[in-house]
Amino acid sequence: MTAENVVPVITIDGPGGSGKGTITALLAAELNWHLLDSGALYRIVAAQALARDLALDDGPALAALAKSLDIAFNADRVTVDGEDLTLTIRAEPVSVAASNVAAIPAVRAAILDLQRAMQKTPGLVADGRDMGTVVFPGAPLKIYLDASAEVRAERRYIQLKNKGLSANVRALLASIQERDERDKRRAVSPLKPAVDAVLIDSTELSIIEVLDAVHSEAIRRQLVGGA
Ligand code: DC
């Protein structure tokens, strides 16, 4: 029996700013399950590539870089080769570069095992773009969370401001739309709902309402106990 059959995974896919990160963190904390922020992995590769002046289309070099990194997630901090990159990977230039490196098949292949290794008891909540379609296709609950681009840009603005990073809402909207296009159109693991995903539009929903909807679905599928 593979880990996929034994350890439950809830996948939460969708575009940036749809609320995936928040919902994943709250759900993982509530269930006491592990958390995979797969976007952080692409951001780490991008940040390290920028720091080393690597070309963002050099597949072999980026894949080798991805495989060489010692990545550790501890609570809400991420360290890479011992250096705390928690804030660095959230900066806007890294977001743009991450979307570029994420389109490279060799990079995606290089971090596949790393992602699957996160499937540990008692369960995993995995946040990304291809969690339900590629990384954990057998997951018993797949969520696809979406929201209008305008609302997602506003949420990203508030998120960046709260982290003390500079931001402009109009520039963020343009950047989000451009990234959405790239993430959806790329040939490898494009952003799209799994055929068996539950679709949730969070444009008009509060975080608690989305969390309740996902939690209820997990109870209905007997992945977790009811209240
Ligand atoms: O969710 P995020 O904004 O941290 O993701 C950063 C980038 O990585 C984003 O452009 C999409 C990409 N990504 C991906 O291609 N596949 C994933 N599973 C997660 C993120």
Side-chain angles (χ1 to χ4, degrees):
M1 232 189 207
T2 62
E4 180 130 337
N5 296 324
V6 181
V7 181
V9 180
I10 297 176
T11 60
I12 306 194
D13 288 307
S18 57
K20 288 174 301 134
T22 306
I23 296 301
T24 300
L26 290 172
L27 189 64
E30 194 170 298
L31 302 179
N32 219 2
W33 284 15
H34 298 278
L35 181 160
L36 168 59
D37 173 3
S38 60
L41 297 174
Y42 292 100
R43 288 172 178 273
I44 288 165
V45 176
Q48 294 293 72
L50 291 174
R52 292 166 200 214
D53 259 340
L54 292 181
L56 296 180
D57 59 356
D58 186 342
L62 293 169
L65 171 68
K67 282 190 184 151
S68 75
L69 299 172
D70 180 15
I71 300 170
F73 291 100
N74 272 312
D76 57 354
R77 314 299 303 174
V78 57
T79 56
V80 182
D81 297 335
E83 188 188 351
D84 191 323
L85 292 190
T86 312
L87 267 186
T88 308
I89 63 167
R90 299 294 153 192
E92 202 46 27
V94 176
S95 300
V96 176
S99 175
N100 281 296
V101 306
I104 299 175
V107 172
R108 306 198 72 88
I111 62 168
L112 195 55
D113 289 346
L114 195 66
Q115 296 176 83
R116 290 188 173 148
M118 303 282 289
Q119 187 175 3
K120 288 184 280 198
T121 53
L124 175 69
V125 188
D127 161 356
R129 303 293 189 289
D130 62 342
M131 298 295 96
T133 50
V134 175
V135 182
F136 302 107
L141 175 56
K142 301 174 184 176
I143 304 291
Y144 188 87
L145 196 54
D146 211 342
S148 74
E150 288 74 16
V151 163
R152 291 188 288 120
E154 272 169 40
R155 289 175 184 166
R156 196 61 119 190
Y157 176 80
I158 293 166
Q159 216 175 38
L160 289 169
K161 281 283 171 200
N162 286 343
K163 287 186 169 140
L165 297 167
S166 69
N168 168 297
V169 84
R170 243 193 284 167
L172 279 174
L173 176 60
S175 170
I176 274 183
Q177 284 170 326
E178 192 186 317
R179 241 180 300 151
D180 281 357
E181 274 307 294
R182 196 163 39 231
D183 292 342
K184 285 178 179 165
R185 279 167 189 246
R186 69 177 176 228
V188 57
S189 304
L191 169 62
K192 64 171 183 195
V195 286
D196 51 350
V198 177
L199 307 183
I200 301 177
D201 187 325
S202 75
T203 306
E204 312 240 325
L205 297 180
S206 68
I207 288 166
I208 296 301
E209 286 171 319
V210 177
L211 187 62
D212 278 353
V214 177
H215 202 167
S216 305
E217 208 42 64
I219 292 170
R220 206 173 66 75
R221 294 174 193 222
Q222 300 183 330
L223 300 178
V224 299

PDB file of all heavy atoms in Angstrom, residues 13 16 20 37-40 42-43 90 95 98-100 102 108 115 127-131 156 179 183 186 189, ligand 1:
ATOM      1  N   ASP A  13      -6.071  23.902  -4.195  1.00  0.00           N
ATOM      2  CA  ASP A  13      -5.456  24.564  -5.352  1.00  0.00           C
ATOM      3  C   ASP A  13      -6.250  25.810  -5.728  1.00  0.00           C
ATOM      4  O   ASP A  13      -7.425  25.951  -5.377  1.00  0.00           O
ATOM      5  CB  ASP A  13      -5.433  23.605  -6.555  1.00  0.00           C
ATOM      6  CG  ASP A  13      -4.416  22.490  -6.379  1.00  0.00           C
ATOM      7  OD1 ASP A  13      -3.243  22.802  -6.116  1.00  0.00           O
ATOM      8  OD2 ASP A  13      -4.798  21.307  -6.497  1.00  0.00           O
ATOM      9  N   GLY A  16      -3.289  32.718  -6.986  1.00  0.00           N
ATOM     10  CA  GLY A  16      -2.778  33.507  -5.867  1.00  0.00           C
ATOM     11  C   GLY A  16      -3.823  34.484  -5.353  1.00  0.00           C
ATOM     12  O   GLY A  16      -4.540  35.086  -6.145  1.00  0.00           O
ATOM     13  N   LYS A  20      -6.120  30.471  -0.411  1.00  0.00           N
ATOM     14  CA  LYS A  20      -5.589  29.108  -0.194  1.00  0.00           C
ATOM     15  C   LYS A  20      -4.650  29.019   0.996  1.00  0.00           C
ATOM     16  O   LYS A  20      -4.747  28.107   1.806  1.00  0.00           O
ATOM     17  CB  LYS A  20      -4.737  28.652  -1.389  1.00  0.00           C
ATOM     18  CG  LYS A  20      -5.418  28.318  -2.613  1.00  0.00           C
ATOM     19  CD  LYS A  20      -4.390  28.039  -3.698  1.00  0.00           C
ATOM     20  CE  LYS A  20      -3.508  29.233  -3.917  1.00  0.00           C
ATOM     21  NZ  LYS A  20      -2.114  29.037  -4.016  1.00  0.00           N
ATOM     22  N   ASP A  37       3.199  24.076   1.741  1.00  0.00           N
ATOM     23  CA  ASP A  37       3.037  25.317   0.966  1.00  0.00           C
ATOM     24  C   ASP A  37       3.937  25.154  -0.270  1.00  0.00           C
ATOM     25  O   ASP A  37       5.095  25.547  -0.257  1.00  0.00           O
ATOM     26  CB  ASP A  37       3.472  26.510   1.834  1.00  0.00           C
ATOM     27  CG  ASP A  37       3.495  27.819   1.059  1.00  0.00           C
ATOM     28  OD1 ASP A  37       3.130  27.833  -0.133  1.00  0.00           O
ATOM     29  OD2 ASP A  37       3.888  28.845   1.655  1.00  0.00           O
ATOM     30  N   SER A  38       3.372  24.546  -1.313  1.00  0.00           N
ATOM     31  CA  SER A  38       4.226  24.218  -2.470  1.00  0.00           C
ATOM     32  C   SER A  38       4.691  25.479  -3.197  1.00  0.00           C
ATOM     33  O   SER A  38       5.771  25.497  -3.784  1.00  0.00           O
ATOM     34  CB  SER A  38       3.498  23.278  -3.436  1.00  0.00           C
ATOM     35  OG  SER A  38       2.323  23.887  -3.924  1.00  0.00           O
ATOM     36  N   GLY A  39       3.891  26.556  -3.136  1.00  0.00           N
ATOM     37  CA  GLY A  39       4.309  27.810  -3.768  1.00  0.00           C
ATOM     38  C   GLY A  39       5.617  28.320  -3.170  1.00  0.00           C
ATOM     39  O   GLY A  39       6.450  28.909  -3.873  1.00  0.00           O
ATOM     40  N   ALA A  40       5.793  28.085  -1.854  1.00  0.00           N
ATOM     41  CA  ALA A  40       7.029  28.536  -1.197  1.00  0.00           C
ATOM     42  C   ALA A  40       8.242  27.856  -1.830  1.00  0.00           C
ATOM     43  O   ALA A  40       9.312  28.463  -1.928  1.00  0.00           O
ATOM     44  CB  ALA A  40       6.966  28.238   0.301  1.00  0.00           C
ATOM     45  N   TYR A  42       8.630  26.963  -5.008  1.00  0.00           N
ATOM     46  CA  TYR A  42       8.959  27.661  -6.264  1.00  0.00           C
ATOM     47  C   TYR A  42       9.545  29.037  -5.963  1.00  0.00           C
ATOM     48  O   TYR A  42      10.444  29.515  -6.659  1.00  0.00           O
ATOM     49  CB  TYR A  42       7.717  27.764  -7.154  1.00  0.00           C
ATOM     50  CG  TYR A  42       7.292  26.404  -7.658  1.00  0.00           C
ATOM     51  CD1 TYR A  42       6.241  25.715  -7.063  1.00  0.00           C
ATOM     52  CD2 TYR A  42       7.989  25.780  -8.683  1.00  0.00           C
ATOM     53  CE1 TYR A  42       5.885  24.447  -7.485  1.00  0.00           C
ATOM     54  CE2 TYR A  42       7.637  24.508  -9.114  1.00  0.00           C
ATOM     55  CZ  TYR A  42       6.582  23.849  -8.507  1.00  0.00           C
ATOM     56  OH  TYR A  42       6.248  22.584  -8.922  1.00  0.00           O
ATOM     57  N   ARG A  43       9.027  29.670  -4.919  1.00  0.00           N
ATOM     58  CA  ARG A  43       9.563  30.980  -4.524  1.00  0.00           C
ATOM     59  C   ARG A  43      11.014  30.855  -4.054  1.00  0.00           C
ATOM     60  O   ARG A  43      11.844  31.728  -4.330  1.00  0.00           O
ATOM     61  CB  ARG A  43       8.702  31.585  -3.401  1.00  0.00           C
ATOM     62  CG  ARG A  43       7.348  32.052  -3.873  1.00  0.00           C
ATOM     63  CD  ARG A  43       6.451  32.471  -2.716  1.00  0.00           C
ATOM     64  NE  ARG A  43       5.186  32.953  -3.235  1.00  0.00           N
ATOM     65  CZ  ARG A  43       4.963  34.216  -3.598  1.00  0.00           C
ATOM     66  NH1 ARG A  43       5.909  35.121  -3.443  1.00  0.00           N
ATOM     67  NH2 ARG A  43       3.803  34.571  -4.094  1.00  0.00           N
ATOM     68  N   ARG A  90       8.571  36.437  -0.258  1.00  0.00           N
ATOM     69  CA  ARG A  90       7.248  37.054  -0.486  1.00  0.00           C
ATOM     70  C   ARG A  90       7.339  38.352  -1.286  1.00  0.00           C
ATOM     71  O   ARG A  90       6.311  38.929  -1.641  1.00  0.00           O
ATOM     72  CB  ARG A  90       6.560  37.354   0.857  1.00  0.00           C
ATOM     73  CG  ARG A  90       6.303  36.124   1.708  1.00  0.00           C
ATOM     74  CD  ARG A  90       5.300  35.181   1.071  1.00  0.00           C
ATOM     75  NE  ARG A  90       5.531  33.812   1.520  1.00  0.00           N
ATOM     76  CZ  ARG A  90       4.979  32.739   0.977  1.00  0.00           C
ATOM     77  NH1 ARG A  90       4.150  32.848  -0.040  1.00  0.00           N
ATOM     78  NH2 ARG A  90       5.262  31.545   1.408  1.00  0.00           N
ATOM     79  N   SER A  95       7.889  36.855  -6.583  1.00  0.00           N
ATOM     80  CA  SER A  95       6.607  36.294  -7.058  1.00  0.00           C
ATOM     81  C   SER A  95       6.635  36.139  -8.574  1.00  0.00           C
ATOM     82  O   SER A  95       6.194  35.116  -9.125  1.00  0.00           O
ATOM     83  CB  SER A  95       5.439  37.222  -6.704  1.00  0.00           C
ATOM     84  OG  SER A  95       5.343  37.404  -5.324  1.00  0.00           O
ATOM     85  N   ALA A  98       9.084  33.427  -9.550  1.00  0.00           N
ATOM     86  CA  ALA A  98       8.576  32.094  -9.179  1.00  0.00           C
ATOM     87  C   ALA A  98       7.645  31.562 -10.261  1.00  0.00           C
ATOM     88  O   ALA A  98       7.673  30.372 -10.602  1.00  0.00           O
ATOM     89  CB  ALA A  98       7.854  32.164  -7.842  1.00  0.00           C
ATOM     90  N   SER A  99       6.811  32.448 -10.799  1.00  0.00           N
ATOM     91  CA  SER A  99       5.884  32.036 -11.843  1.00  0.00           C
ATOM     92  C   SER A  99       6.658  31.584 -13.087  1.00  0.00           C
ATOM     93  O   SER A  99       6.248  30.655 -13.790  1.00  0.00           O
ATOM     94  CB  SER A  99       4.950  33.206 -12.158  1.00  0.00           C
ATOM     95  OG  SER A  99       4.112  32.911 -13.223  1.00  0.00           O
ATOM     96  N   ASN A 100       7.797  32.209 -13.330  1.00  0.00           N
ATOM     97  CA  ASN A 100       8.641  31.801 -14.471  1.00  0.00           C
ATOM     98  C   ASN A 100       9.302  30.447 -14.231  1.00  0.00           C
ATOM     99  O   ASN A 100       9.249  29.566 -15.080  1.00  0.00           O
ATOM    100  CB  ASN A 100       9.715  32.865 -14.739  1.00  0.00           C
ATOM    101  CG  ASN A 100       9.142  34.035 -15.507  1.00  0.00           C
ATOM    102  OD1 ASN A 100       8.707  33.895 -16.634  1.00  0.00           O
ATOM    103  ND2 ASN A 100       9.103  35.185 -14.876  1.00  0.00           N
ATOM    104  N   ALA A 102       8.396  28.180 -12.241  1.00  0.00           N
ATOM    105  CA  ALA A 102       7.385  27.128 -12.085  1.00  0.00           C
ATOM    106  C   ALA A 102       6.915  26.576 -13.426  1.00  0.00           C
ATOM    107  O   ALA A 102       6.295  25.512 -13.487  1.00  0.00           O
ATOM    108  CB  ALA A 102       6.195  27.664 -11.295  1.00  0.00           C
ATOM    109  N   ARG A 108       9.870  21.468 -11.850  1.00  0.00           N
ATOM    110  CA  ARG A 108       8.723  20.796 -11.238  1.00  0.00           C
ATOM    111  C   ARG A 108       9.083  19.364 -10.886  1.00  0.00           C
ATOM    112  O   ARG A 108       8.747  18.880  -9.812  1.00  0.00           O
ATOM    113  CB  ARG A 108       7.500  20.848 -12.166  1.00  0.00           C
ATOM    114  CG  ARG A 108       7.113  22.253 -12.620  1.00  0.00           C
ATOM    115  CD  ARG A 108       5.695  22.317 -13.153  1.00  0.00           C
ATOM    116  NE  ARG A 108       4.717  22.195 -12.091  1.00  0.00           N
ATOM    117  CZ  ARG A 108       4.243  23.216 -11.384  1.00  0.00           C
ATOM    118  NH1 ARG A 108       4.606  24.443 -11.646  1.00  0.00           N
ATOM    119  NH2 ARG A 108       3.373  23.005 -10.414  1.00  0.00           N
ATOM    120  N   GLN A 115       7.831  17.171  -2.302  1.00  0.00           N
ATOM    121  CA  GLN A 115       6.440  17.452  -1.960  1.00  0.00           C
ATOM    122  C   GLN A 115       5.735  16.185  -1.471  1.00  0.00           C
ATOM    123  O   GLN A 115       5.031  16.197  -0.465  1.00  0.00           O
ATOM    124  CB  GLN A 115       5.699  18.026  -3.171  1.00  0.00           C
ATOM    125  CG  GLN A 115       6.257  19.366  -3.611  1.00  0.00           C
ATOM    126  CD  GLN A 115       5.570  19.872  -4.869  1.00  0.00           C
ATOM    127  OE1 GLN A 115       4.505  20.462  -4.817  1.00  0.00           O
ATOM    128  NE2 GLN A 115       6.189  19.631  -6.015  1.00  0.00           N
ATOM    129  N   ASP A 127      -1.182  22.992  -0.297  1.00  0.00           N
ATOM    130  CA  ASP A 127      -1.610  24.227  -0.959  1.00  0.00           C
ATOM    131  C   ASP A 127      -0.787  24.435  -2.230  1.00  0.00           C
ATOM    132  O   ASP A 127       0.435  24.333  -2.187  1.00  0.00           O
ATOM    133  CB  ASP A 127      -1.373  25.354   0.068  1.00  0.00           C
ATOM    134  CG  ASP A 127      -1.304  26.757  -0.505  1.00  0.00           C
ATOM    135  OD1 ASP A 127      -1.364  26.933  -1.729  1.00  0.00           O
ATOM    136  OD2 ASP A 127      -1.181  27.696   0.293  1.00  0.00           O
ATOM    137  N   GLY A 128      -1.448  24.690  -3.359  1.00  0.00           N
ATOM    138  CA  GLY A 128      -0.676  24.937  -4.584  1.00  0.00           C
ATOM    139  C   GLY A 128      -1.518  25.170  -5.812  1.00  0.00           C
ATOM    140  O   GLY A 128      -2.581  25.808  -5.758  1.00  0.00           O
ATOM    141  N   ARG A 129      -0.999  24.712  -6.950  1.00  0.00           N
ATOM    142  CA  ARG A 129      -1.700  24.868  -8.223  1.00  0.00           C
ATOM    143  C   ARG A 129      -2.018  23.502  -8.828  1.00  0.00           C
ATOM    144  O   ARG A 129      -2.969  23.361  -9.585  1.00  0.00           O
ATOM    145  CB  ARG A 129      -0.839  25.631  -9.234  1.00  0.00           C
ATOM    146  CG  ARG A 129      -0.375  27.002  -8.797  1.00  0.00           C
ATOM    147  CD  ARG A 129      -1.528  27.973  -8.678  1.00  0.00           C
ATOM    148  NE  ARG A 129      -1.090  29.357  -8.464  1.00  0.00           N
ATOM    149  CZ  ARG A 129      -0.544  29.817  -7.353  1.00  0.00           C
ATOM    150  NH1 ARG A 129      -0.357  29.015  -6.325  1.00  0.00           N
ATOM    151  NH2 ARG A 129      -0.202  31.085  -7.245  1.00  0.00           N
ATOM    152  N   ASP A 130      -1.169  22.510  -8.514  1.00  0.00           N
ATOM    153  CA  ASP A 130      -1.294  21.179  -9.124  1.00  0.00           C
ATOM    154  C   ASP A 130      -1.319  20.095  -8.067  1.00  0.00           C
ATOM    155  O   ASP A 130      -0.945  18.961  -8.333  1.00  0.00           O
ATOM    156  CB  ASP A 130      -0.122  20.942 -10.086  1.00  0.00           C
ATOM    157  CG  ASP A 130       1.225  20.960  -9.366  1.00  0.00           C
ATOM    158  OD1 ASP A 130       1.291  21.480  -8.232  1.00  0.00           O
ATOM    159  OD2 ASP A 130       2.204  20.435  -9.936  1.00  0.00           O
ATOM    160  N   MET A 131      -1.736  20.437  -6.855  1.00  0.00           N
ATOM    161  CA  MET A 131      -1.735  19.445  -5.775  1.00  0.00           C
ATOM    162  C   MET A 131      -2.708  18.304  -6.099  1.00  0.00           C
ATOM    163  O   MET A 131      -2.382  17.135  -5.942  1.00  0.00           O
ATOM    164  CB  MET A 131      -2.116  20.103  -4.427  1.00  0.00           C
ATOM    165  CG  MET A 131      -1.156  21.176  -3.949  1.00  0.00           C
ATOM    166  SD  MET A 131       0.493  20.561  -3.554  1.00  0.00           S
ATOM    167  CE  MET A 131       1.348  20.903  -5.059  1.00  0.00           C
ATOM    168  N   ARG A 156      -3.833  40.590  -1.552  1.00  0.00           N
ATOM    169  CA  ARG A 156      -2.369  40.531  -1.640  1.00  0.00           C
ATOM    170  C   ARG A 156      -1.771  41.838  -1.116  1.00  0.00           C
ATOM    171  O   ARG A 156      -0.754  41.820  -0.429  1.00  0.00           O
ATOM    172  CB  ARG A 156      -1.976  40.283  -3.099  1.00  0.00           C
ATOM    173  CG  ARG A 156      -0.573  39.834  -3.332  1.00  0.00           C
ATOM    174  CD  ARG A 156      -0.226  38.503  -2.675  1.00  0.00           C
ATOM    175  NE  ARG A 156       0.162  37.482  -3.635  1.00  0.00           N
ATOM    176  CZ  ARG A 156       0.315  36.214  -3.352  1.00  0.00           C
ATOM    177  NH1 ARG A 156       0.116  35.761  -2.137  1.00  0.00           N
ATOM    178  NH2 ARG A 156       0.672  35.349  -4.266  1.00  0.00           N
ATOM    179  N   ARG A 179       0.282  36.751 -14.126  1.00  0.00           N
ATOM    180  CA  ARG A 179       0.720  35.472 -13.559  1.00  0.00           C
ATOM    181  C   ARG A 179      -0.338  34.384 -13.749  1.00  0.00           C
ATOM    182  O   ARG A 179      -0.030  33.244 -14.066  1.00  0.00           O
ATOM    183  CB  ARG A 179       1.014  35.646 -12.070  1.00  0.00           C
ATOM    184  CG  ARG A 179       2.449  35.324 -11.768  1.00  0.00           C
ATOM    185  CD  ARG A 179       2.760  35.494 -10.315  1.00  0.00           C
ATOM    186  NE  ARG A 179       2.521  36.850  -9.857  1.00  0.00           N
ATOM    187  CZ  ARG A 179       2.174  37.158  -8.608  1.00  0.00           C
ATOM    188  NH1 ARG A 179       2.024  36.224  -7.707  1.00  0.00           N
ATOM    189  NH2 ARG A 179       1.982  38.419  -8.269  1.00  0.00           N
ATOM    190  N   ASP A 183       0.292  30.891 -15.423  1.00  0.00           N
ATOM    191  CA  ASP A 183       0.078  29.649 -14.667  1.00  0.00           C
ATOM    192  C   ASP A 183      -0.960  28.749 -15.350  1.00  0.00           C
ATOM    193  O   ASP A 183      -0.866  27.527 -15.295  1.00  0.00           O
ATOM    194  CB  ASP A 183      -0.366  29.962 -13.225  1.00  0.00           C
ATOM    195  CG  ASP A 183       0.743  30.610 -12.385  1.00  0.00           C
ATOM    196  OD1 ASP A 183       1.927  30.513 -12.778  1.00  0.00           O
ATOM    197  OD2 ASP A 183       0.425  31.221 -11.345  1.00  0.00           O
ATOM    198  N   ARG A 186       0.577  27.430 -19.136  1.00  0.00           N
ATOM    199  CA  ARG A 186       1.822  26.682 -19.299  1.00  0.00           C
ATOM    200  C   ARG A 186       1.516  25.223 -19.647  1.00  0.00           C
ATOM    201  O   ARG A 186       0.472  24.672 -19.256  1.00  0.00           O
ATOM    202  CB  ARG A 186       2.685  26.787 -18.043  1.00  0.00           C
ATOM    203  CG  ARG A 186       2.115  26.069 -16.860  1.00  0.00           C
ATOM    204  CD  ARG A 186       3.026  26.145 -15.657  1.00  0.00           C
ATOM    205  NE  ARG A 186       2.376  25.526 -14.529  1.00  0.00           N
ATOM    206  CZ  ARG A 186       2.279  26.047 -13.320  1.00  0.00           C
ATOM    207  NH1 ARG A 186       2.847  27.189 -13.038  1.00  0.00           N
ATOM    208  NH2 ARG A 186       1.646  25.408 -12.356  1.00  0.00           N
ATOM    209  N   SER A 189       1.720  20.950 -15.926  1.00  0.00           N
ATOM    210  CA  SER A 189       0.940  21.182 -14.695  1.00  0.00           C
ATOM    211  C   SER A 189       0.264  22.553 -14.650  1.00  0.00           C
ATOM    212  O   SER A 189       0.468  23.315 -13.708  1.00  0.00           O
ATOM    213  CB  SER A 189       1.846  21.049 -13.463  1.00  0.00           C
ATOM    214  OG  SER A 189       2.475  19.815 -13.426  1.00  0.00           O
TER     215      SER A 189
HETATM  216  O1   DC B   1       1.052  30.341  -4.280  1.00  0.00           O
HETATM  217  P1   DC B   1       2.263  31.195  -4.551  1.00  0.00           P
HETATM  218  O2   DC B   1       1.904  32.597  -5.007  1.00  0.00           O
HETATM  219  O3   DC B   1       3.197  31.224  -3.373  1.00  0.00           O
HETATM  220  O4   DC B   1       3.045  30.487  -5.757  1.00  0.00           O
HETATM  221  C1   DC B   1       4.199  31.053  -6.320  1.00  0.00           C
HETATM  222  C2   DC B   1       4.287  30.662  -7.797  1.00  0.00           C
HETATM  223  O5   DC B   1       4.534  29.270  -7.909  1.00  0.00           O
HETATM  224  C3   DC B   1       3.026  30.954  -8.614  1.00  0.00           C
HETATM  225  O6   DC B   1       3.350  31.700  -9.777  1.00  0.00           O
HETATM  226  C4   DC B   1       2.517  29.639  -9.060  1.00  0.00           C
HETATM  227  C5   DC B   1       3.629  28.675  -8.823  1.00  0.00           C
HETATM  228  N1   DC B   1       3.158  27.426  -8.252  1.00  0.00           N
HETATM  229  C6   DC B   1       3.011  26.357  -9.083  1.00  0.00           C
HETATM  230  O7   DC B   1       3.237  26.482 -10.278  1.00  0.00           O
HETATM  231  N2   DC B   1       2.627  25.160  -8.584  1.00  0.00           N
HETATM  232  C7   DC B   1       2.363  25.011  -7.284  1.00  0.00           C
HETATM  233  N3   DC B   1       1.986  23.825  -6.822  1.00  0.00           N
HETATM  234  C8   DC B   1       2.479  26.117  -6.411  1.00  0.00           C
HETATM  235  C9   DC B   1       2.870  27.322  -6.928  1.00  0.00           C
END
